[in-house]
Amino acid sequence: MSEDLKGLTGEIVTPEDPRYEQARQEWNRAIQKFPLVIVYCLEIKDVQNAIRWARKNKAEIRIRSGGHHYEGYSVGNGVLVIDISRLTRIDMHEGQRLVKIQSGVKNKELYEALGSRGYPFPGGTCPTVGVCGYVLGGGWGMSTRLFGLGSDQLLEIEIVNYKGKLLTCSEEKNKDLFWALRGAGGGNFGVVVSMTFRLPPKVDKVSLVQVYAPESSKAQQESFLTVWQEWLKKLDIRMTINVSIYNSEEEGLGIFGRGLFYGDTETASKLLQPFADIGLQITVRHLTFLEAVTAVMNDYPPFEKFQSTGRFVHRDFDNKEIRKIAGTIQKPADGSVFTAVTVYALGGRVSEISRKESAFYFRDARYIMGIQTVWTDDAFEKVNQDWLYPRFQYIRSVTKGSFVNFPYDRLGNYEKAYYGGNAEKLRKINREYDPHNVFTFPQGIKG
Ligand SMILES: Cc1cc2nc3c(=O)[nH]c(=O)nc-3n(C[C@H](O)[C@H](O)[C@H](O)COP(=O)(O)OP(=O)(O)OC[C@H]3O[C@@H](n4cnc5c(N)ncnc54)[C@H](O)[C@@H]3O)c2cc1C
């Protein structure tokens, strides 16, 4: 090891290493950053040494677990990346009804460990998203209306702070930090090395539901948005779905959505009848939880080039607004292969918990509305990014608050947008737990 890297432990990858090219990649391949060094941590000591080394050498730190940050804030140019993806232990304690995971565990691994024993979990939809990265931003999944957000299941977090010290956070210990980590924890306060969750009750089978309208039209997409906003108000909390109205190079306009219902197929079909009434095909399958989430996860490609972001919706849209929202995707950017507006159901358990309970502020939102564009050829990157901006600005003008798990580089006033009325308290906690801003990134909390 070169003299400069002395003090770093774990698996170390520098630009001269043949593994570097792969190691610096994020899931979003539109992000191309060139870190100074990437440290794959194999034990907690490696995390502690990396933090001490970065401080001594005045290197900026980025923390990476699954590498799915939309804007690539888990890497950067000239930074030290503390990569914890090799910390993948899962310890089940069924007697105590809890599971402890190390912070490199991915959605798929947790689902397999829990699902094979009959437990569901309100994790995410993409197999390779890091559970910790997901949970630190709140975490929306297809069980969210019934069980709450991923972060609502947390009992305890272990984190390495700016001094390299391991802290335990819970309702009893470091309570304010525990509060902050549940919704605003990504990259801000230290390196989370483990999370302990309460286990939901076992389930035998769930209904995997699907709504689909290939060869759709703008009028049908508008009808969908109109029906959706009414439908969601009275929806059984056992159902959580997300649905995209899309415009794809291959298929043209369409509508596609999926979700879970913790109940029988007949009731699930009845609940979806308003969508059948406007011409969507409804499919419902009775599966184990693991089979159902695996079917959802299998749809993800290994990576993409995209820009995407998401806002919280608190009110009904009128016809004119619905026309404008559906209008955003009718003319995709040059080189776009897929563009969509996606709605993610909230409510249920999420809104029963007070916004003061954790850093996740927008609990009263009815749903999240995301917008995205995907391209394959780098030549179209800028035109796609510029395409998204004015459309996002419109959606921003009719919504309140941005989902930190669907972040956007060009957001502006981001602390307020992500954390609403909790932003000030978060700054205070940040000043206390990271007084020198050792953990920083382009949209970090500035204590
Ligand atoms: C294809 C795809 C599907 C997605 N689906 C969903 C979904 O269904 N629901 C949802 O809520 N979100 C979803 N997301 C968003 C995703 O949950 C967030 O991007 C999440 O932050 C990713 O975590 P990660 O560990 O994979 O990514 P990373 O890029 O490794 O990390 C994301 C952020 O968290 C920080 N971070 C990661 N690990 C730690 C740690 N141990 N300690 C401190 N900070 C840490 C990073 O520094 C970075 O700021 C999706 C993203 C993609 C790309």
Side-chain angles (χ1 to χ4, degrees), residues 23-62:
R24 68 180 185 83
Q25 301 296 340
E26 297 268 285
W27 195 86
N28 184 359
R29 287 294 199 273
I31 308 295
Q32 290 299 322
K33 300 285 181 192
F34 297 87
L36 176 70
V37 53
I38 299 162
V39 177
Y40 287 97
C41 300
L42 307 174
E43 43 187 328
I44 292 174
K45 178 171 67 69
D46 301 333
V47 176
Q48 297 170 314
N49 288 338
I51 293 170
R52 291 184 189 123
W53 183 91
R55 294 193 64 191
K56 190 163 158 234
N57 290 280
K58 301 200 170 14
E60 263 190 42
I61 292 174
R62 295 284 186 277

mmCIF file of all heavy atoms in Angstrom, residues 23-62:
data_model
loop_
_atom_site.group_PDB
_atom_site.id
_atom_site.type_symbol
_atom_site.label_atom_id
_atom_site.label_comp_id
_atom_site.label_asym_id
_atom_site.label_seq_id
_atom_site.Cartn_x
_atom_site.Cartn_y
_atom_site.Cartn_z
ATOM 1 N N ALA A 23 -15.826 -0.556 -9.763
ATOM 2 C CA ALA A 23 -16.104 -0.175 -8.365
ATOM 3 C C ALA A 23 -16.680 1.233 -8.246
ATOM 4 O O ALA A 23 -17.395 1.534 -7.291
ATOM 5 C CB ALA A 23 -14.825 -0.288 -7.538
ATOM 6 N N ARG A 24 -16.385 2.103 -9.187
ATOM 7 C CA ARG A 24 -16.861 3.492 -9.057
ATOM 8 C C ARG A 24 -18.283 3.673 -9.599
ATOM 9 O O ARG A 24 -18.869 4.741 -9.485
ATOM 10 C CB ARG A 24 -15.889 4.454 -9.738
ATOM 11 C CG ARG A 24 -15.832 4.331 -11.234
ATOM 12 C CD ARG A 24 -14.858 5.306 -11.860
ATOM 13 N NE ARG A 24 -14.938 5.212 -13.321
ATOM 14 C CZ ARG A 24 -15.855 5.837 -14.053
ATOM 15 N NH1 ARG A 24 -16.744 6.616 -13.495
ATOM 16 N NH2 ARG A 24 -15.879 5.688 -15.363
ATOM 17 N N GLN A 25 -18.852 2.627 -10.201
ATOM 18 C CA GLN A 25 -20.166 2.763 -10.840
ATOM 19 C C GLN A 25 -21.317 2.752 -9.829
ATOM 20 O O GLN A 25 -21.281 2.022 -8.852
ATOM 21 C CB GLN A 25 -20.417 1.618 -11.842
ATOM 22 C CG GLN A 25 -19.405 1.531 -12.961
ATOM 23 C CD GLN A 25 -19.406 2.739 -13.888
ATOM 24 O OE1 GLN A 25 -20.384 3.488 -13.952
ATOM 25 N NE2 GLN A 25 -18.301 2.941 -14.598
ATOM 26 N N GLU A 26 -22.322 3.552 -10.146
ATOM 27 C CA GLU A 26 -23.583 3.538 -9.410
ATOM 28 C C GLU A 26 -24.624 2.828 -10.273
ATOM 29 O O GLU A 26 -24.421 2.661 -11.487
ATOM 30 C CB GLU A 26 -24.044 4.978 -9.153
ATOM 31 C CG GLU A 26 -23.093 5.781 -8.288
ATOM 32 C CD GLU A 26 -23.416 5.713 -6.812
ATOM 33 O OE1 GLU A 26 -24.395 6.362 -6.379
ATOM 34 O OE2 GLU A 26 -22.695 5.012 -6.079
ATOM 35 N N TRP A 27 -25.772 2.501 -9.683
ATOM 36 C CA TRP A 27 -26.835 1.855 -10.474
ATOM 37 C C TRP A 27 -27.254 2.766 -11.628
ATOM 38 O O TRP A 27 -27.490 2.312 -12.737
ATOM 39 C CB TRP A 27 -28.036 1.545 -9.578
ATOM 40 C CG TRP A 27 -29.004 0.584 -10.202
ATOM 41 C CD1 TRP A 27 -28.941 -0.778 -10.164
ATOM 42 C CD2 TRP A 27 -30.170 0.911 -10.975
ATOM 43 N NE1 TRP A 27 -29.991 -1.314 -10.863
ATOM 44 C CE2 TRP A 27 -30.768 -0.309 -11.374
ATOM 45 C CE3 TRP A 27 -30.773 2.105 -11.371
ATOM 46 C CZ2 TRP A 27 -31.932 -0.368 -12.131
ATOM 47 C CZ3 TRP A 27 -31.933 2.051 -12.135
ATOM 48 C CH2 TRP A 27 -32.502 0.820 -12.510
ATOM 49 N N ASN A 28 -27.330 4.063 -11.359
ATOM 50 C CA ASN A 28 -27.630 5.042 -12.409
ATOM 51 C C ASN A 28 -26.341 5.316 -13.180
ATOM 52 O O ASN A 28 -25.493 6.084 -12.736
ATOM 53 C CB ASN A 28 -28.179 6.329 -11.797
ATOM 54 C CG ASN A 28 -28.584 7.341 -12.855
ATOM 55 O OD1 ASN A 28 -28.442 7.088 -14.057
ATOM 56 N ND2 ASN A 28 -29.082 8.483 -12.408
ATOM 57 N N ARG A 29 -26.223 4.701 -14.350
ATOM 58 C CA ARG A 29 -24.966 4.821 -15.104
ATOM 59 C C ARG A 29 -24.769 6.212 -15.716
ATOM 60 O O ARG A 29 -23.714 6.493 -16.297
ATOM 61 C CB ARG A 29 -24.919 3.768 -16.211
ATOM 62 C CG ARG A 29 -24.684 2.363 -15.698
ATOM 63 C CD ARG A 29 -23.269 2.232 -15.074
ATOM 64 N NE ARG A 29 -22.867 0.847 -14.998
ATOM 65 C CZ ARG A 29 -23.144 0.010 -14.004
ATOM 66 N NH1 ARG A 29 -23.818 0.449 -12.957
ATOM 67 N NH2 ARG A 29 -22.746 -1.245 -14.042
ATOM 68 N N ALA A 30 -25.782 7.077 -15.600
ATOM 69 C CA ALA A 30 -25.576 8.457 -16.047
ATOM 70 C C ALA A 30 -24.609 9.178 -15.111
ATOM 71 O O ALA A 30 -24.059 10.211 -15.451
ATOM 72 C CB ALA A 30 -26.910 9.201 -16.103
ATOM 73 N N ILE A 31 -24.416 8.623 -13.920
ATOM 74 C CA ILE A 31 -23.498 9.209 -12.941
ATOM 75 C C ILE A 31 -22.105 8.651 -13.235
ATOM 76 O O ILE A 31 -21.917 7.436 -13.216
ATOM 77 C CB ILE A 31 -23.893 8.800 -11.498
ATOM 78 C CG1 ILE A 31 -25.367 9.100 -11.209
ATOM 79 C CG2 ILE A 31 -22.947 9.397 -10.464
ATOM 80 C CD1 ILE A 31 -25.764 10.534 -11.212
ATOM 81 N N GLN A 32 -21.186 9.502 -13.509
ATOM 82 C CA GLN A 32 -19.806 9.059 -13.742
ATOM 83 C C GLN A 32 -18.880 9.910 -12.891
ATOM 84 O O GLN A 32 -18.562 11.039 -13.238
ATOM 85 C CB GLN A 32 -19.451 9.150 -15.232
ATOM 86 C CG GLN A 32 -20.184 8.128 -16.089
ATOM 87 C CD GLN A 32 -19.857 6.676 -15.691
ATOM 88 O OE1 GLN A 32 -18.715 6.349 -15.340
ATOM 89 N NE2 GLN A 32 -20.866 5.805 -15.703
ATOM 90 N N LYS A 33 -18.493 9.366 -11.737
ATOM 91 C CA LYS A 33 -17.627 10.096 -10.808
ATOM 92 C C LYS A 33 -16.338 9.315 -10.611
ATOM 93 O O LYS A 33 -16.296 8.093 -10.810
ATOM 94 C CB LYS A 33 -18.325 10.279 -9.453
ATOM 95 C CG LYS A 33 -19.625 11.045 -9.541
ATOM 96 C CD LYS A 33 -19.396 12.516 -9.747
ATOM 97 C CE LYS A 33 -20.721 13.259 -9.809
ATOM 98 N NZ LYS A 33 -20.607 14.612 -10.282
ATOM 99 N N PHE A 34 -15.309 10.033 -10.163
ATOM 100 C CA PHE A 34 -13.978 9.431 -10.044
ATOM 101 C C PHE A 34 -13.416 9.651 -8.639
ATOM 102 O O PHE A 34 -12.685 10.613 -8.393
ATOM 103 C CB PHE A 34 -13.061 10.035 -11.126
ATOM 104 C CG PHE A 34 -13.548 9.706 -12.512
ATOM 105 C CD1 PHE A 34 -14.495 10.516 -13.141
ATOM 106 C CD2 PHE A 34 -13.111 8.556 -13.157
ATOM 107 C CE1 PHE A 34 -14.984 10.194 -14.402
ATOM 108 C CE2 PHE A 34 -13.602 8.235 -14.425
ATOM 109 C CZ PHE A 34 -14.537 9.046 -15.048
ATOM 110 N N PRO A 35 -13.771 8.731 -7.730
ATOM 111 C CA PRO A 35 -13.280 8.875 -6.355
ATOM 112 C C PRO A 35 -11.757 8.722 -6.268
ATOM 113 O O PRO A 35 -11.139 8.090 -7.128
ATOM 114 C CB PRO A 35 -13.961 7.727 -5.611
ATOM 115 C CG PRO A 35 -15.050 7.239 -6.492
ATOM 116 C CD PRO A 35 -14.654 7.576 -7.890
ATOM 117 N N LEU A 36 -11.217 9.274 -5.200
ATOM 118 C CA LEU A 36 -9.785 9.140 -4.909
ATOM 119 C C LEU A 36 -9.479 7.703 -4.514
ATOM 120 O O LEU A 36 -8.511 7.099 -4.968
ATOM 121 C CB LEU A 36 -9.465 10.089 -3.747
ATOM 122 C CG LEU A 36 -8.080 10.107 -3.159
ATOM 123 C CD1 LEU A 36 -7.120 10.721 -4.153
ATOM 124 C CD2 LEU A 36 -8.089 10.900 -1.851
ATOM 125 N N VAL A 37 -10.336 7.176 -3.662
ATOM 126 C CA VAL A 37 -10.153 5.804 -3.175
ATOM 127 C C VAL A 37 -11.498 5.251 -2.698
ATOM 128 O O VAL A 37 -12.335 6.002 -2.175
ATOM 129 C CB VAL A 37 -9.048 5.743 -2.074
ATOM 130 C CG1 VAL A 37 -9.307 6.716 -0.968
ATOM 131 C CG2 VAL A 37 -8.881 4.346 -1.489
ATOM 132 N N ILE A 38 -11.686 3.963 -2.929
ATOM 133 C CA ILE A 38 -12.905 3.291 -2.466
ATOM 134 C C ILE A 38 -12.469 2.223 -1.465
ATOM 135 O O ILE A 38 -11.596 1.405 -1.780
ATOM 136 C CB ILE A 38 -13.645 2.629 -3.655
ATOM 137 C CG1 ILE A 38 -14.052 3.696 -4.688
ATOM 138 C CG2 ILE A 38 -14.866 1.840 -3.178
ATOM 139 C CD1 ILE A 38 -14.394 3.158 -6.059
ATOM 140 N N VAL A 39 -13.060 2.264 -0.283
ATOM 141 C CA VAL A 39 -12.724 1.253 0.728
ATOM 142 C C VAL A 39 -13.921 0.345 0.935
ATOM 143 O O VAL A 39 -14.981 0.798 1.385
ATOM 144 C CB VAL A 39 -12.358 1.912 2.075
ATOM 145 C CG1 VAL A 39 -12.084 0.844 3.128
ATOM 146 C CG2 VAL A 39 -11.147 2.790 1.920
ATOM 147 N N TYR A 40 -13.775 -0.909 0.579
ATOM 148 C CA TYR A 40 -14.810 -1.898 0.892
ATOM 149 C C TYR A 40 -14.554 -2.364 2.325
ATOM 150 O O TYR A 40 -13.537 -3.007 2.599
ATOM 151 C CB TYR A 40 -14.741 -3.085 -0.074
ATOM 152 C CG TYR A 40 -15.232 -2.739 -1.459
ATOM 153 C CD1 TYR A 40 -14.339 -2.402 -2.476
ATOM 154 C CD2 TYR A 40 -16.591 -2.722 -1.741
ATOM 155 C CE1 TYR A 40 -14.799 -2.062 -3.740
ATOM 156 C CE2 TYR A 40 -17.056 -2.383 -3.000
ATOM 157 C CZ TYR A 40 -16.157 -2.058 -3.995
ATOM 158 O OH TYR A 40 -16.623 -1.721 -5.243
ATOM 159 N N CYS A 41 -15.465 -2.030 3.213
ATOM 160 C CA CYS A 41 -15.270 -2.367 4.630
ATOM 161 C C CYS A 41 -15.718 -3.796 4.881
ATOM 162 O O CYS A 41 -16.815 -4.191 4.463
ATOM 163 C CB CYS A 41 -16.070 -1.409 5.499
ATOM 164 S SG CYS A 41 -15.550 0.302 5.246
ATOM 165 N N LEU A 42 -14.879 -4.554 5.560
ATOM 166 C CA LEU A 42 -15.194 -5.952 5.859
ATOM 167 C C LEU A 42 -15.572 -6.115 7.319
ATOM 168 O O LEU A 42 -16.131 -7.114 7.723
ATOM 169 C CB LEU A 42 -13.998 -6.845 5.506
ATOM 170 C CG LEU A 42 -13.470 -6.653 4.067
ATOM 171 C CD1 LEU A 42 -12.205 -7.465 3.825
ATOM 172 C CD2 LEU A 42 -14.531 -7.023 3.036
ATOM 173 N N GLU A 43 -15.221 -5.104 8.110
ATOM 174 C CA GLU A 43 -15.629 -5.081 9.528
ATOM 175 C C GLU A 43 -15.761 -3.629 9.986
ATOM 176 O O GLU A 43 -15.295 -2.713 9.289
ATOM 177 C CB GLU A 43 -14.660 -5.882 10.403
ATOM 178 C CG GLU A 43 -13.214 -5.660 10.089
ATOM 179 C CD GLU A 43 -12.308 -6.595 10.875
ATOM 180 O OE1 GLU A 43 -12.662 -6.959 12.010
ATOM 181 O OE2 GLU A 43 -11.238 -6.924 10.370
ATOM 182 N N ILE A 44 -16.336 -3.447 11.146
ATOM 183 C CA ILE A 44 -16.608 -2.079 11.619
ATOM 184 C C ILE A 44 -15.308 -1.279 11.768
ATOM 185 O O ILE A 44 -15.267 -0.084 11.486
ATOM 186 C CB ILE A 44 -17.412 -2.127 12.941
ATOM 187 C CG1 ILE A 44 -18.812 -2.680 12.640
ATOM 188 C CG2 ILE A 44 -17.526 -0.742 13.574
ATOM 189 C CD1 ILE A 44 -19.674 -2.914 13.841
ATOM 190 N N LYS A 45 -14.260 -1.983 12.168
ATOM 191 C CA LYS A 45 -12.959 -1.325 12.330
ATOM 192 C C LYS A 45 -12.540 -0.611 11.026
ATOM 193 O O LYS A 45 -11.936 0.450 11.056
ATOM 194 C CB LYS A 45 -11.942 -2.408 12.720
ATOM 195 C CG LYS A 45 -10.522 -1.949 12.882
ATOM 196 C CD LYS A 45 -9.656 -3.051 13.466
ATOM 197 C CE LYS A 45 -9.456 -4.238 12.557
ATOM 198 N NZ LYS A 45 -8.680 -4.145 11.364
ATOM 199 N N ASP A 46 -12.867 -1.205 9.886
ATOM 200 C CA ASP A 46 -12.491 -0.595 8.606
ATOM 201 C C ASP A 46 -13.226 0.737 8.397
ATOM 202 O O ASP A 46 -12.675 1.682 7.831
ATOM 203 C CB ASP A 46 -12.808 -1.541 7.438
ATOM 204 C CG ASP A 46 -12.077 -2.877 7.559
ATOM 205 O OD1 ASP A 46 -10.997 -2.905 8.196
ATOM 206 O OD2 ASP A 46 -12.592 -3.884 7.034
ATOM 207 N N VAL A 47 -14.467 0.793 8.856
ATOM 208 C CA VAL A 47 -15.236 2.044 8.771
ATOM 209 C C VAL A 47 -14.571 3.096 9.657
ATOM 210 O O VAL A 47 -14.360 4.249 9.253
ATOM 211 C CB VAL A 47 -16.702 1.826 9.234
ATOM 212 C CG1 VAL A 47 -17.478 3.135 9.230
ATOM 213 C CG2 VAL A 47 -17.404 0.771 8.387
ATOM 214 N N GLN A 48 -14.224 2.686 10.869
ATOM 215 C CA GLN A 48 -13.619 3.622 11.822
ATOM 216 C C GLN A 48 -12.288 4.158 11.298
ATOM 217 O O GLN A 48 -12.023 5.358 11.334
ATOM 218 C CB GLN A 48 -13.431 2.917 13.176
ATOM 219 C CG GLN A 48 -14.778 2.512 13.769
ATOM 220 C CD GLN A 48 -14.663 1.610 14.983
ATOM 221 O OE1 GLN A 48 -13.886 0.645 14.981
ATOM 222 N NE2 GLN A 48 -15.445 1.916 16.007
ATOM 223 N N ASN A 49 -11.481 3.245 10.744
ATOM 224 C CA ASN A 49 -10.185 3.676 10.204
ATOM 225 C C ASN A 49 -10.363 4.615 9.015
ATOM 226 O O ASN A 49 -9.601 5.574 8.851
ATOM 227 C CB ASN A 49 -9.355 2.457 9.782
ATOM 228 C CG ASN A 49 -8.847 1.690 10.999
ATOM 229 O OD1 ASN A 49 -8.762 2.256 12.095
ATOM 230 N ND2 ASN A 49 -8.530 0.419 10.828
ATOM 231 N N ALA A 50 -11.362 4.342 8.185
ATOM 232 C CA ALA A 50 -11.595 5.187 7.005
ATOM 233 C C ALA A 50 -11.980 6.603 7.433
ATOM 234 O O ALA A 50 -11.507 7.590 6.857
ATOM 235 C CB ALA A 50 -12.695 4.573 6.137
ATOM 236 N N ILE A 51 -12.822 6.710 8.448
ATOM 237 C CA ILE A 51 -13.234 8.047 8.922
ATOM 238 C C ILE A 51 -12.020 8.798 9.475
ATOM 239 O O ILE A 51 -11.791 9.973 9.161
ATOM 240 C CB ILE A 51 -14.359 7.925 9.975
ATOM 241 C CG1 ILE A 51 -15.639 7.390 9.312
ATOM 242 C CG2 ILE A 51 -14.626 9.271 10.656
ATOM 243 C CD1 ILE A 51 -16.740 6.993 10.262
ATOM 244 N N ARG A 52 -11.201 8.103 10.255
ATOM 245 C CA ARG A 52 -10.026 8.763 10.842
ATOM 246 C C ARG A 52 -9.052 9.183 9.739
ATOM 247 O O ARG A 52 -8.486 10.271 9.765
ATOM 248 C CB ARG A 52 -9.349 7.829 11.848
ATOM 249 C CG ARG A 52 -10.212 7.635 13.087
ATOM 250 C CD ARG A 52 -9.540 6.789 14.143
ATOM 251 N NE ARG A 52 -10.508 6.476 15.186
ATOM 252 C CZ ARG A 52 -10.837 5.237 15.566
ATOM 253 N NH1 ARG A 52 -10.260 4.185 15.012
ATOM 254 N NH2 ARG A 52 -11.729 5.056 16.517
ATOM 255 N N TRP A 53 -8.880 8.305 8.753
ATOM 256 C CA TRP A 53 -7.956 8.605 7.646
ATOM 257 C C TRP A 53 -8.450 9.834 6.879
ATOM 258 O O TRP A 53 -7.673 10.728 6.550
ATOM 259 C CB TRP A 53 -7.878 7.391 6.711
ATOM 260 C CG TRP A 53 -6.913 7.571 5.579
ATOM 261 C CD1 TRP A 53 -5.595 7.244 5.559
ATOM 262 C CD2 TRP A 53 -7.207 8.159 4.290
ATOM 263 N NE1 TRP A 53 -5.040 7.578 4.344
ATOM 264 C CE2 TRP A 53 -6.006 8.150 3.549
ATOM 265 C CE3 TRP A 53 -8.346 8.691 3.701
ATOM 266 C CZ2 TRP A 53 -5.921 8.636 2.243
ATOM 267 C CZ3 TRP A 53 -8.270 9.191 2.407
ATOM 268 C CH2 TRP A 53 -7.076 9.157 1.690
ATOM 269 N N ALA A 54 -9.746 9.870 6.591
ATOM 270 C CA ALA A 54 -10.306 10.985 5.816
ATOM 271 C C ALA A 54 -10.106 12.310 6.553
ATOM 272 O O ALA A 54 -9.756 13.328 5.952
ATOM 273 C CB ALA A 54 -11.789 10.746 5.557
ATOM 274 N N ARG A 55 -10.299 12.281 7.860
ATOM 275 C CA ARG A 55 -10.154 13.521 8.626
ATOM 276 C C ARG A 55 -8.694 13.968 8.629
ATOM 277 O O ARG A 55 -8.400 15.144 8.442
ATOM 278 C CB ARG A 55 -10.669 13.332 10.044
ATOM 279 C CG ARG A 55 -12.180 13.082 10.057
ATOM 280 C CD ARG A 55 -12.747 13.204 11.426
ATOM 281 N NE ARG A 55 -12.623 14.550 11.954
ATOM 282 C CZ ARG A 55 -12.846 14.883 13.201
ATOM 283 N NH1 ARG A 55 -13.237 13.955 14.052
ATOM 284 N NH2 ARG A 55 -12.711 16.126 13.609
ATOM 285 N N LYS A 56 -7.800 12.997 8.829
ATOM 286 C CA LYS A 56 -6.374 13.324 8.864
ATOM 287 C C LYS A 56 -5.913 13.865 7.506
ATOM 288 O O LYS A 56 -5.136 14.808 7.422
ATOM 289 C CB LYS A 56 -5.607 12.042 9.223
ATOM 290 C CG LYS A 56 -4.170 12.267 9.534
ATOM 291 C CD LYS A 56 -3.561 11.089 10.276
ATOM 292 C CE LYS A 56 -2.060 11.144 10.074
ATOM 293 N NZ LYS A 56 -1.523 9.912 9.552
ATOM 294 N N ASN A 57 -6.424 13.277 6.447
ATOM 295 C CA ASN A 57 -5.967 13.649 5.096
ATOM 296 C C ASN A 57 -6.884 14.668 4.418
ATOM 297 O O ASN A 57 -6.742 14.944 3.234
ATOM 298 C CB ASN A 57 -5.854 12.396 4.229
ATOM 299 C CG ASN A 57 -4.701 11.523 4.677
ATOM 300 O OD1 ASN A 57 -3.557 11.783 4.350
ATOM 301 N ND2 ASN A 57 -4.999 10.516 5.482
ATOM 302 N N LYS A 58 -7.819 15.195 5.206
ATOM 303 C CA LYS A 58 -8.752 16.212 4.692
ATOM 304 C C LYS A 58 -9.438 15.777 3.387
ATOM 305 O O LYS A 58 -9.561 16.541 2.428
ATOM 306 C CB LYS A 58 -8.041 17.546 4.491
ATOM 307 C CG LYS A 58 -7.430 18.085 5.773
ATOM 308 C CD LYS A 58 -7.157 19.557 5.693
ATOM 309 C CE LYS A 58 -6.778 20.206 6.986
ATOM 310 N NZ LYS A 58 -6.396 19.397 8.118
ATOM 311 N N ALA A 59 -9.836 14.528 3.357
ATOM 312 C CA ALA A 59 -10.574 14.013 2.184
ATOM 313 C C ALA A 59 -12.062 14.027 2.507
ATOM 314 O O ALA A 59 -12.463 13.756 3.636
ATOM 315 C CB ALA A 59 -10.121 12.592 1.872
ATOM 316 N N GLU A 60 -12.866 14.359 1.519
ATOM 317 C CA GLU A 60 -14.326 14.297 1.720
ATOM 318 C C GLU A 60 -14.776 12.840 1.717
ATOM 319 O O GLU A 60 -14.249 12.027 0.956
ATOM 320 C CB GLU A 60 -15.041 15.019 0.583
ATOM 321 C CG GLU A 60 -15.404 16.440 0.936
ATOM 322 C CD GLU A 60 -16.325 17.070 -0.093
ATOM 323 O OE1 GLU A 60 -17.258 16.392 -0.564
ATOM 324 O OE2 GLU A 60 -16.084 18.240 -0.412
ATOM 325 N N ILE A 61 -15.759 12.560 2.562
ATOM 326 C CA ILE A 61 -16.280 11.186 2.668
ATOM 327 C C ILE A 61 -17.594 11.068 1.909
ATOM 328 O O ILE A 61 -18.421 11.974 1.955
ATOM 329 C CB ILE A 61 -16.532 10.837 4.145
ATOM 330 C CG1 ILE A 61 -15.214 10.746 4.917
ATOM 331 C CG2 ILE A 61 -17.330 9.540 4.285
ATOM 332 C CD1 ILE A 61 -15.388 10.549 6.416
ATOM 333 N N ARG A 62 -17.784 9.944 1.242
ATOM 334 C CA ARG A 62 -19.128 9.562 0.779
ATOM 335 C C ARG A 62 -19.385 8.146 1.313
ATOM 336 O O ARG A 62 -18.468 7.323 1.341
ATOM 337 C CB ARG A 62 -19.237 9.510 -0.745
ATOM 338 C CG ARG A 62 -19.071 10.822 -1.419
ATOM 339 C CD ARG A 62 -20.322 11.705 -1.285
ATOM 340 N NE ARG A 62 -20.152 12.897 -2.076
ATOM 341 C CZ ARG A 62 -19.499 13.987 -1.677
ATOM 342 N NH1 ARG A 62 -18.995 14.038 -0.460
ATOM 343 N NH2 ARG A 62 -19.375 15.016 -2.471
#
